[in-house]
Amino acid sequence: MSTNKEAAKEILAAIGGKENIASATHCVTRLRFALHDEKQVDQKALENIDVVKGSFSTNGQFQIVVGQGLVDKVYKELVVLAGISEASKDETKSAAEKNLNPIQRAVKTLADVFIPILPAIVTAGLLMGINNVLTGGGIFFEGDTAIIDVYPQWADFADIIHVIANTAFTFLPALIGWSAVKRFGGNPLLGIVMGLILVHPALLNAWDYGAAREAGEIPTWNLFGLEINKLGYQGQVLPVFVASIILAKLDVFLRKRIPDSIQLLTVAPIALLVTSFLTFALVGPLTFAIGNGIADGFIWLFGTLPWIAGFLYGIIYGPLVITGMHHVFLAVDLQLTTGTEAGGTFLWPILALSNIAQGSAAFAMYFLVKNANLKGLSGTAGLSAWLGITEPALFGVNLRYRFPFIMAIISAGIAGMFVTINGVLANAVGVGGVPAFVSIRGQDWGPFFIGMAVVILLPFVLTVLYGKLTKPKSLKEEE
């Protein structure tokens, strides 16, 4: 077993030396590099280093999985050997962006906005799942009888949980506003205010917009002859996202040009007024229509061709994670759960099944590889994927051998097709693994558990059989 210094020296040599490093940092388990030229990386040499559990490139960053605790020690040795300063994650991200094409930058921007608010959304989803268990009819009793019907003393407890869980979704625009304005360099507090403005109780609730339009009773403001709908944007993603970009850019513009002595009295009022007027008059109605159009398109596709749509989404979700484009669909999930009358999202259950499938394929590799370190990695990576974190399984095991990844996405496609045909919906976005069932509607637990059984057993069996019977080249290379 090499020392931390030796490991750092070997990693440095494998990635092309210090001259190839534009910036470097680390997270809880991975070294993160912005490299001048990723083609200089010696992948084979890197994988033969004892401390390295896997590596991959995403969003312009080359990342090396080392492990919790050890990564900090190796990074410190690496900094000394390479003669580089300890960069912040933001600096490394900025350096990495130079290697991205326009589509990758757009996807990365969405990820930068939605990833910081994921803890709040996942927590809300888990709590909503507990509420579902208590209030869902037909889960534990016949007919539509729920736990709170049989044990009414639990009703208020369920109601309190619902209030706590639903807060993140009710004020979702405030969360997005905070994150988006921060991402684009503005004052995050203004982003929170912007989000709250769009869900102010004085506005027509977005849920009531359809009925109000049919009745011809949409309230309006009359600004010198210009009529603007007094419409709120509860549960909407795009309106606050675009408004936050405008707000952040305007905030930065004003702070550069207004003297410091009067910025407190001028920058925020001007930025909020201008952005709010633009949002209510133009940006809001346009993005409201676009967001609902996208959601309606998915609803139509999954309702009209459920077996094709479910299979395709199950097949492509794993590859989407590799590219980072899976973050785009988080916005669609949120729109479906909070901004439409669909009753929930049909995408998120497939996401959860895809994660489980990757974990099962990684578990199968435990019985195929001979190296003790790789056996340990297969087990821990599989467990991580079953709990919703797929990167160790994907990049450390399945893509390394290729065929486990293929078996996993085929299985996810089959399970995705099954749950879609059976109309399985999630009430909220929660943990995307085995615990996902708590976020599924009570009446859909049966078909979801069948789908879960498919992605637990099928990838495991297919991976083991393929490995034992065909003895693929990728497996022989490890012998």
Side-chain angles (χ1 to χ4, degrees):
M1 182 71 179
S2 61
T3 65
N4 296 332
K5 186 174 182 178
E6 290 171 344
K9 187 177 181 180
E10 292 172 352
I11 290 172
L12 185 61
I15 62 176
K18 62 182 180 181
E19 296 82 8
N20 196 33
I21 300 176
S23 183
T25 185
H26 72 90
C27 60
V28 178
T29 60
R30 287 164 282 169
L31 297 169
R32 296 170 176 255
F33 299 94
L35 301 178
H36 294 299
D37 182 10
E38 291 189 6
K39 294 180 180 178
Q40 294 186 30
V41 176
D42 187 339
Q43 197 70 44
K44 186 67 177 178
L46 190 62
E47 291 178 354
N48 287 331
I49 301 171
D50 290 339
V51 301
V52 174
K53 304 298 189 293
S55 62
F56 59 96
S57 178
T58 182
N59 293 328
Q61 288 187 28
F62 188 79
Q63 303 187 25
I64 301 174
V65 182
V66 175
Q68 189 172 355
L70 183 59
V71 66
D72 183 59
K73 299 174 183 176
V74 174
Y75 177 71
K76 288 180 178 178
E77 295 290 350
L78 186 70
V79 167
V80 175
L81 287 171
I84 57 176
S85 60
E86 296 199 27
S88 68
K89 292 180 181 179
D90 290 338
E91 288 171 339
T92 302
K93 284 182 179 180
S94 297
E97 283 184 5
K98 297 176 182 179
N99 301 321
L100 302 180
N101 61 44
I103 295 178
Q104 289 174 319
R105 290 190 182 188
V107 172
K108 182 181 180 300
T109 298
L110 283 173
D112 289 344
V113 171
F114 285 104
I115 287 177
I117 65 175
L118 265 179
I121 294 172
V122 170
T123 299
L126 284 172
L127 292 175
M128 191 70 76
I130 297 174
N131 178 73
N132 290 344
V133 173
L134 293 173
T135 62
I139 300 177
F140 301 104
F141 304 99
E142 293 183 0
D144 292 329
T145 304
I147 290 178
I148 60 172
D149 296 324
V150 178
Y151 304 101
Q153 63 268 31
W154 286 93
D156 286 344
F157 178 75
D159 189 55
I160 291 175
I161 289 179
H162 181 266
V163 170
I164 297 171
N166 199 43
T167 297
F169 298 114
T170 300
F171 299 102
L172 179 63
L175 297 177
I176 297 174
W178 166 79
S179 187
V181 171
K182 181 180 180 182
R183 165 62 179 79
F184 289 98
N187 184 343
L189 291 177
L190 294 183
I192 295 175
V193 175
M194 187 71 243
L196 293 176
I197 288 172
L198 297 183
V199 293
H200 195 285
L203 304 171
L204 173 67
N205 193 299
W207 287 101
D208 301 326
Y209 174 73
R213 183 177 59 181
E214 290 182 7
E217 298 176 351
I218 298 177
T220 60
W221 287 297
N222 190 312
L223 301 179
F224 311 104
L226 175 64
E227 287 198 349
I228 300 175
N229 289 339
K230 293 177 62 175
L231 176 63
Y233 294 96
Q234 288 81 0
Q236 298 292 313
V237 174
L238 278 181
V240 68
F241 181 78
V242 177
S244 297
I245 295 175
I246 296 172
L247 178 61
K249 298 296 184 183
L250 189 55
D251 180 39
V252 173
F253 176 84
L254 292 173
R255 280 194 277 115
K256 287 181 178 179
R257 288 161 177 81
I258 294 178
D260 293 345
S261 58
I262 59 172
Q263 280 191 8
L264 181 62
L265 300 175
T266 55
V267 173
I270 294 173
L272 280 173
L273 277 173
V274 172
T275 305
S276 297
F277 277 121
L278 284 174
T279 300
F280 284 120
L282 180 63
V283 173
L286 180 61
T287 53
F288 182 74
I290 293 173
N292 284 335
I294 293 173
D296 289 342
F298 274 97
I299 292 171
W300 176 87
L301 180 62
F302 275 75
T304 307
L305 302 168
W307 63 280
I308 293 179
F311 181 76
L312 287 179
Y313 192 67
I315 286 286
I316 68 170
Y317 187 78
L320 286 175
V321 174
I322 298 172
T323 63
M325 291 187 68
H326 63 299
H327 296 298
V328 174
F329 289 91
L330 176 58
V332 180
D333 272 317
L334 293 174
Q335 181 79 10
L336 289 170
T337 53
T338 62
T340 70
E341 297 180 1
T345 172
F346 36 75
L347 296 179
W348 192 81
I350 302 175
L351 173 158
L353 295 175
S354 177
N355 289 351
I356 296 171
Q358 294 296 335
S360 298
F363 276 131
M365 293 306 296
Y366 179 89
F367 298 95
L368 296 176
V369 296
K370 297 180 180 179
N371 183 285
N373 288 336
L374 291 174
K375 279 183 176 289
L377 176 60
S378 298
T380 56
L383 179 60
S384 175
W386 275 17
L387 295 176
I389 307 298
T390 58
E391 282 80 2
L394 269 175
F395 301 109
V397 181
N398 296 348
L399 287 174
R400 185 176 196 162
Y401 297 98
R402 294 180 290 280
F403 69 92
F405 176 72
I406 295 172
M407 301 308 171
I409 64 173
I410 291 173
S411 303
I414 295 171
M417 176 174 61
F418 178 79
V419 297
T420 303
I421 290 174
N422 284 277
V424 174
L425 296 177
N427 295 118
V429 175
V431 175
V434 173
F437 71 91
V438 297
S439 296
I440 304 298
R441 293 189 310 177
Q443 62 265 39
D444 296 334
W445 275 20
F448 183 76
F449 281 137
I450 294 175
M452 188 183 291
V454 170
V455 291
I456 288 175
L457 297 174
L458 190 58
F460 184 89
V461 173
L462 289 178
T463 300
V464 170
L465 288 178
Y466 187 88
K468 294 284 189 182
L469 297 177
T470 67
K471 299 189 182 300
K473 182 180 179 181
S474 60
L475 197 59
K476 292 178 181 179
E477 291 172 352
E478 298 295 338
E479 295 181 355

